[in-house]
Amino acid sequence: MNQVMNFFSNSLRERMQNLNLEGKMLQEIRLRVYKPVIIYIDNEEYFLSIHGEISKDSISPMIILPKDIADTLVLMSEYSLYSYEEELKNGYITIKGGHRVGIVGKAVIEDNKIKTLKNISGLNIRISHQMTGCADKILHYILNSPSIYNTLIVSPPKCGKTTILRDVARQISDGYLEFKGLNVSIVDERSEIAACFNGTPQNDVGIRTDVLDGCPKVWGMRILLRAMSPDVVVVDEIGGEEDVGAIRDILNAGIKIICSLHAADLEDIKNKKYVADLINEKAFEKIVFLSNKKGIGTLDSVWNVVGRRWEVRDS
Amino acid sequence: MLKIIGMLIVIVTSTGVGFYIPRLHKNKIEFLMDIRQSFCLLKNEINYAVNTIVVSFFNIQEKASNQYVKQFFYDMYEHLQNKDGISLKNIWEKGVNDLLYKEKINESEARHIKTFGNSLGYLDKEQQLRNIDFLVEGLDEIILKHKENHEKHSKLYSRMGILVGLMVAIVML
């Protein structure tokens, strides 16, 4: 909390600095122009009052002014909005500590592309919580000592794919029980896995891990293949034709791959033409399905290639 | 004998002053060139490395040769790292005042550098770079003016120093 506090405007900082959130999980802080500050703690919604207290009712709430948003954004960007131009186009920046800040305002369009955002009207500060050990339950399906299986981690949004992918990368890199650590390379196009800030991963992604931050997946995979001679490449949210091409290059070079995909089940994957081709080619040896049936990151099933067929190994 | 010693002291002192004043001007020119150089480094930091202002200031203080310039960028870096809520404009203005006082840079010459802080970090990359170019051009003009003055007056000051010394010595006879 203290780390995030430094990024708020003075008026916000004054009201938030006395909040006692010990033992609670701060998840999100939402700032909207001329609207109350809303804070999400342990999946509950609270309003911040002008007296610096939080309550579930909007009683004398602190109202955010444009200056609060502008000052907060300046502090979050370390007085350097220009250095976040590319991220701004995508509507978010990653700040020190790996926290993700979603940004909305007026999009400036040039040549059919978003040039930048102006008149920023809302910030959604999502507090990063690394869930160390959350991949324990799927790791033994992936490991094939001394190497690993090419694995696809699949789930609908908000089921903890990226969090589990990060922990898988960390454990493969550091080593797990008898499994000796491998050189892992991560292509972190949206800074979600390692949450790099000024080039330094803010999340623990392992001692043998190299991170290529902010680079498009397709370029990134090929750069890492040539430059870092990894044992394993980790990449988040594949889907496009070019992604699949780069994955084939990785596999042809004998390098293992772990990636994630937005989909609900095997049927859903079949609708994603390019990834479905990869699945049919048996490029992946394991497919891990996650859901949030019993909380975020619930392991639903693990599919194995058996001969030429896919079979459920565990569910 | 005492008179001769006194005359010699007067001549040496006066000559020394005559050479010291041009040296002061030269120091000021070198100081301004160091400042100019630091802004060129800032431009590279923003343009090629796309570093934040905070990281850029740290890198510049590591490369700066002039101790005052080095200290200025280090102090700026420290202030910004602390994130104490003071605006960059205020931090910059105070830092620039302290820095320019060291070499007695006058108010009109300091104007460009001071106002540079008003927009530092707020603009997009292109405008930021244009802003630095504008500042560097301003510094170039100031440096050129000082160089011309230095060339014009340095010989005059040193000769004046010797002549005034000799004149006082003759009066003392």
Side-chain angles (χ1 to χ4, degrees):
Chain A
M1 178 69 180
N2 284 341
Q3 201 179 33
V4 183
M5 199 65 74
N6 288 335
F7 295 109
F8 289 126
S9 67
N10 281 343
S11 57
L12 258 168
R13 200 182 302 192
E14 276 167 23
R15 285 166 179 90
M16 291 187 75
Q17 64 190 358
N18 294 326
L19 292 181
N20 183 10
L21 300 178
E22 216 171 292
K24 294 174 181 169
M25 188 188 269
L26 174 63
Q27 293 162 313
E28 271 184 25
I29 302 166
R30 286 182 178 265
L31 310 179
R32 298 176 177 105
V33 173
Y34 301 121
K35 297 283 188 300
V37 180
I38 298 178
I39 304 175
Y40 291 88
I41 302 164
D42 292 333
N43 295 322
E44 299 277 352
E45 183 187 85
Y46 295 91
F47 293 92
L48 179 70
S49 78
I50 49 169
H51 309 298
E53 292 150 355
I54 51 168
S55 65
K56 291 197 172 180
D57 306 309
S58 176
I59 302 163
S60 49
M62 181 192 175
I63 301 296
I64 288 293
L65 301 174
K67 189 179 182 320
D68 292 314
I69 299 260
D71 288 354
T72 301
L73 199 56
V74 163
L75 286 167
M76 283 177 170
S77 67
E78 295 209 309
Y79 307 89
S80 316
L81 273 178
Y82 64 84
S83 70
Y84 290 92
E85 268 178 17
E86 283 307 311
E87 286 93 333
L88 270 179
K89 286 177 195 171
N90 294 322
Y92 66 86
I93 61 172
T94 303
I95 60 174
K96 197 171 185 178
H99 313 297
R100 170 66 64 86
V101 183
I103 300 166
V104 289
K106 173 143 179 74
V108 180
I109 308 289
E110 202 176 270
D111 298 332
N112 271 339
K113 283 180 185 166
I114 296 176
K115 190 186 175 206
T116 188
L117 288 177
K118 66 175 188 178
N119 303 336
I120 306 298
S121 58
L123 302 178
N124 174 19
I125 301 132
R126 292 193 290 170
I127 309 299
S128 161
H129 298 283
Q130 185 165 8
M131 311 290 279
T132 306
C134 65
D136 286 356
K137 55 185 177 286
I138 68 161
L139 208 60
H140 63 276
Y141 294 111
I142 297 174
L143 301 183
N144 180 27
S145 198
S147 186
I148 62 155
Y149 293 111
N150 294 316
T151 305
L152 181 65
I153 298 174
V154 183
S155 87
K158 296 213 167 202
C159 289
K161 264 190 315 290
T162 307
T163 309
I164 285 194
L165 193 64
R166 179 189 304 132
D167 202 48
V168 167
R170 180 185 67 82
Q171 302 211 51
I172 289 172
S173 169
D174 286 348
Y176 179 76
L177 302 175
E178 298 299 307
F179 180 81
K180 196 172 164 285
L182 300 172
N183 288 319
V184 176
S185 289
I186 299 176
V187 190
D188 203 1
E189 182 171 350
R190 297 194 293 173
S191 305
E192 279 183 315
I193 307 175
C196 284
F197 177 78
N198 286 340
T200 309
Q202 302 293 296
N203 289 324
D204 181 4
V205 284
I207 58 169
R208 296 180 186 86
T209 300
D210 304 299
V211 182
L212 186 56
D213 183 47
C215 182
K217 285 187 285 282
V218 179
W219 301 353
M221 282 190 268
R222 289 183 172 131
I223 289 170
L224 290 172
L225 178 63
R226 288 194 295 266
M228 301 309 290
S229 63
D231 300 313
V232 181
V233 169
V234 173
V235 60
D236 202 9
E237 291 179 18
I238 59 160
E241 184 179 10
E242 290 185 324
D243 293 352
V244 170
I247 289 171
R248 285 200 180 100
D249 289 349
I250 298 271
L251 296 173
N252 289 339
I255 292 163
K256 297 291 179 180
I257 190 151
I258 302 179
C259 36
S260 69
L261 174 75
H262 271 317
D265 48 37
L266 209 51
E267 285 304 307
D268 196 11
I269 297 175
K270 284 178 187 168
N271 298 327
K272 299 176 191 291
K273 184 183 177 308
Y274 305 111
V275 180
D277 288 346
L278 268 186
I279 304 267
N280 290 334
E281 292 164 19
K282 309 289 184 289
F284 295 107
E285 295 154 286
K286 302 269 180 179
I287 306 178
V288 177
F289 286 94
L290 303 174
S291 73
N292 55 8
K293 285 175 195 161
K294 293 176 191 167
I296 292 170
T298 303
L299 175 62
D300 248 16
S301 59
V302 179
W303 289 65
N304 268 2
V305 179
V306 179
R308 296 181 59 80
R309 290 174 297 115
W310 284 96
E311 277 185 9
V312 185
R313 169 73 173 265
D314 198 1
S315 61
Chain B
M1 185 63 187
L2 272 176
K3 207 180 232 180
I4 292 167
I5 293 170
M7 283 161 61
L8 282 174
I9 290 171
V10 168
I11 293 167
V12 169
T13 310
S14 174
T15 308
V17 170
F19 280 97
Y20 178 68
I21 293 171
R23 182 69 223 164
L24 280 183
H25 284 155
K26 203 170 179 204
N27 284 351
K28 192 186 258 190
I29 293 168
E30 282 171 4
F31 176 66
L32 286 167
M33 286 177 79
D34 283 331
I35 292 179
R36 182 193 181 279
Q37 173 66 17
S38 66
F39 284 107
C40 290
L41 288 174
L42 181 62
K43 186 179 172 181
N44 289 344
E45 289 282 333
I46 291 172
N47 198 15
Y48 299 112
V50 202
N51 279 330
T52 62
I53 294 288
V54 181
V55 174
S56 301
F57 284 177
F58 183 81
N59 291 344
I60 293 168
Q61 67 85 27
E62 286 213 310
K63 290 171 193 160
S65 50
N66 182 293
Q67 56 159 331
Y68 297 138
V69 176
K70 200 180 192 66
Q71 191 62 44
F72 166 73
F73 280 103
Y74 185 73
D75 289 346
M76 294 291 296
Y77 163 76
E78 284 267 282
H79 273 299
L80 298 182
Q81 273 283 86
N82 291 341
K83 294 190 175 60
D84 44 18
I86 305 170
S87 75
L88 176 57
K89 184 188 164 200
N90 293 347
I91 298 170
W92 180 264
E93 204 166 305
K94 189 189 171 304
V96 170
N97 278 336
D98 292 348
L99 172 71
L100 299 181
Y101 176 75
K102 303 273 191 336
E103 284 291 346
K104 308 280 184 263
I105 305 292
N106 67 43
E107 196 61 32
S108 67
E109 290 171 344
R111 190 171 45 87
H112 281 304
I113 307 176
K114 276 187 188 171
T115 53
F116 177 74
N118 296 352
S119 52
L120 186 59
Y122 285 80
L123 306 173
D124 64 30
K125 194 172 149 188
E126 270 173 44
Q127 285 174 296
Q128 202 80 58
L129 296 176
R130 222 174 291 147
N131 211 20
I132 295 175
D133 286 339
F134 181 65
L135 173 61
V136 169
E137 277 170 26
L139 283 171
D140 281 341
E141 279 174 26
I142 296 168
I143 291 167
L144 188 68
K145 211 168 82 186
H146 276 288
K147 274 185 176 169
E148 283 170 359
N149 276 340
H150 177 69
E151 277 167 23
K152 207 191 291 178
H153 298 303
S154 62
K155 281 181 187 163
L156 178 73
Y157 281 123
S158 45
R159 281 173 192 163
M160 281 275 286
I162 300 167
L163 287 174
V164 168
L166 285 172
M167 208 173 77
V168 173
I170 290 166
V171 170
M172 283 170 73
L173 271 175

